[in-house]
């Protein structure tokens, strides 16, 4: 086929401002509150012309979408990442005819109040809470809503109650079987709600608690089994959740061989390897629910 005969056509497209960092301070007297978000806006609709003809007549600028994030933070405050995402998505789809759907992704960085020497809390001093981030993703097409909440970077470790044995032994298998190992992972989870009538902060906190309780409470024969227990606990205990997808890197802790130094190592000294790592991923659904969470989510 000649180059002239091969015609290109425009496929799926979206645009918007990615990673707008917005920090909102709310002051109630001398006590201050902080919300720290990274917001990505992604819009789709009647956007053929901008790609094909050079007409920008349908284009709400990415600059304006960024400004909207800041203006809404001022005007409406940020009650939760989900509520803020819903407000933005509704605004873009209902205020601009050519925009048919909006996807808002939010990462939230948690700040905790710094304690005071007398056991109280400083009213306006904060410390960033670890590496963990809360995530929210809102999709609105003018009719249907999809809200997916999640968390990333929640690092957990069990010092026992983890075995791993009975696996396939091919000619390349060298891993020793173990009846007692350290099990550690970084929990990356996203869960999809059935609707939008949800107590976003409460549901998020309950989901996080259930993930932690299942990790701590499961006697594990593999990280796969622990993953399923974590996902199942969230789906079974939170009626508003349809499905959850977990991505768990196995943060291997290898026993160090101390025999060259004449020392025994009875599960006491480990080498924490950072790579490569096993990557265990699965979706857990409410029985009968449609799987809609993408297996490979786009970033940001
Ligand atoms: O929990 C585990 N699951 C695996 O599939 C696996 N593979 C491996 O080498 N170690 C582990 N641990």
């Amino acid at each position: 086929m000649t180059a002239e005969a091969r015609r290109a056509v425009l496929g799926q497209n979206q645009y918007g401002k990615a990673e707008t960092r917005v920090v909102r301070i709310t002051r109630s007297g001398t006590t201050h509150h902080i919300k720290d978000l990274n917001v990505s806006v992604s819009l789709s609709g009647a956007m053929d012309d901008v790609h094909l003809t050079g007409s920008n007549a349908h284009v709400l600028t990415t600059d304006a979408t960024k400004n909207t994030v800041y203006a809404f933070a001022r005007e409406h405050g940020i009650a939760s990442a989900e509520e803020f995402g819903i407000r933005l998505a509704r605004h873009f789809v209902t205020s601009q005819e050519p925009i048919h759907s909006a996807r808002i992704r939010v990462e939230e960085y948690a700040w905790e109040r710094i304690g005071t020497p007398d056991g109280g809390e400083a009213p306006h001093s904060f410390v960033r809470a670890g590496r963990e981030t809360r995530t929210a993703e809102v999709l609105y097409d003018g009719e249907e809503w999809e809200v997916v909440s999640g968390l990333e970077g929640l690092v957990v470790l069990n010092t026992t109650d983890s075995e791993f044995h009975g696996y396939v032994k091919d000619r390349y298998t060298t891993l020793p079987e173990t009846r007692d190992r350290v099990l550690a992972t970084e929990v990356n989870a996203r869960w999809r709600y059935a609707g939008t009538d949800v107590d976003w902060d409460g549901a998020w906190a309950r989901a996080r608690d259930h993930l932690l309780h299942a990790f701590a409470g499961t006697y594990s024969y593999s990280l796969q089994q622990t993953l399923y227990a974590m996902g199942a606990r969230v789906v079974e205990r939170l009626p508003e959740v349809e499905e959850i997808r977990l991505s768990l890197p196995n943060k291997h802790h290898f026993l160090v061989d101390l025999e060259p130094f004449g020392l025994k190592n009875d599960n006491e000294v480990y080498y924490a390897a950072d790579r490569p790592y096993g990557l265990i991923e699965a979706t857990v659904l409410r029985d009968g629910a449609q799987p809609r969470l993408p297996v490979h989510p786009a970033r940001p």
Side-chain angles (χ1 to χ4, degrees):
M1 207 186 279
T2 63
E4 299 80 65
R6 286 169 55 94
R7 238 168 64 80
V9 292
L10 179 66
Q12 195 279 341
N13 59 89
Q14 57 192 24
Y15 82 105
K17 194 71 93 191
E19 306 209 41
T20 296
R21 292 282 283 104
V22 54
V23 177
R24 172 66 151 103
I25 313 281
T26 310
R27 297 180 168 85
S28 8
T30 53
T31 302
H32 298 178
H33 306 268
I34 185 167
K35 283 279 186 184
D36 183 354
L37 307 186
N38 188 28
V39 181
S40 294
V41 173
S42 197
L43 308 173
S44 307
M47 297 294 159
D48 284 8
D49 280 356
V50 59
H51 294 91
L52 304 178
T53 74
S55 166
N56 295 329
H58 286 179
V59 176
L60 179 71
T61 62
T62 68
D63 193 60
T65 69
K66 174 226 10 173
N67 292 341
T68 310
V69 170
Y70 290 129
F72 276 29
R74 168 66 185 80
E75 283 186 279
H76 307 291
I78 300 172
S80 67
E82 292 83 356
E83 188 270 347
F84 194 59
I86 287 172
R87 190 182 293 281
L88 286 164
R90 182 186 291 118
H91 167 78
F92 292 124
V93 173
T94 56
S95 67
Q96 299 296 322
E97 205 268 328
I99 295 174
H100 300 162
S101 74
R103 183 184 295 276
I104 313 295
R105 289 197 171 95
V106 181
E107 286 177 0
E108 178 173 354
Y109 312 113
W111 292 88
E112 286 168 0
R113 285 184 196 286
I114 294 179
T116 53
D118 61 4
E121 284 183 335
H124 54 249
S125 302
F126 300 87
V127 55
R128 254 290 274 281
R131 291 170 44 205
E132 185 188 347
T133 53
R134 172 171 168 176
T135 64
E137 190 173 325
V138 174
L139 180 63
Y140 181 51
D141 64 4
E143 285 178 8
E144 308 248 319
W145 290 95
E146 190 165 287
V147 180
V148 175
S149 298
L151 52 82
E152 290 173 3
L154 176 65
V155 180
V156 289
L157 182 149
N158 285 329
T159 51
T160 189
D161 285 0
S162 169
E163 308 188 11
F164 191 59
H165 46 81
Y167 41 79
V168 170
K169 275 102 188 163
D170 74 353
R171 59 187 290 225
Y172 301 114
T173 303
T174 57
L175 186 75
E177 299 201 325
T178 173
R179 308 273 156 176
D180 192 5
R181 68 173 180 172
V182 166
L183 184 68
T185 188
E186 175 190 302
V187 183
N188 300 293
R190 308 167 74 231
W191 55 91
R192 180 171 63 79
Y193 291 100
T196 53
D197 185 15
V198 174
D199 162 16
W200 301 116
D201 284 348
W204 186 87
R206 285 198 299 281
R208 183 181 186 277
D209 280 349
H210 286 308
L211 290 168
L212 292 176
H213 292 154
F215 178 80
T218 301
Y219 192 103
S220 177
Y221 292 91
S222 67
L223 185 53
Q224 287 90 328
Q225 187 196 20
T226 296
L227 179 155
Y228 183 78
M230 294 168 76
R233 186 165 170 128
V234 171
V235 166
E236 286 167 6
R237 307 284 180 104
L238 272 81
E240 56 270 65
V241 171
E242 290 282 279
E243 60 174 321
I244 179 167
R245 185 159 179 87
L246 288 153
S247 176
L248 302 183
N250 193 349
K251 298 176 83 67
H252 302 295
H253 285 64
F254 297 116
L255 273 177
V256 179
D257 178 8
L258 297 177
E259 267 179 29
F261 321 120
L263 296 170
K264 274 195 5 194
N265 188 4
D266 192 11
N267 275 354
E268 286 176 302
V269 180
Y270 297 86
Y271 163 61
D274 75 335
R275 65 189 84 168
Y277 48 89
L279 185 59
I280 311 300
E281 304 182 286
T283 302
V284 183
L285 303 103
R286 181 179 58 74
D287 193 10
Q290 287 299 314
R292 295 231 294 268
L293 286 174
V295 169
H296 299 293
R299 292 266 108 219

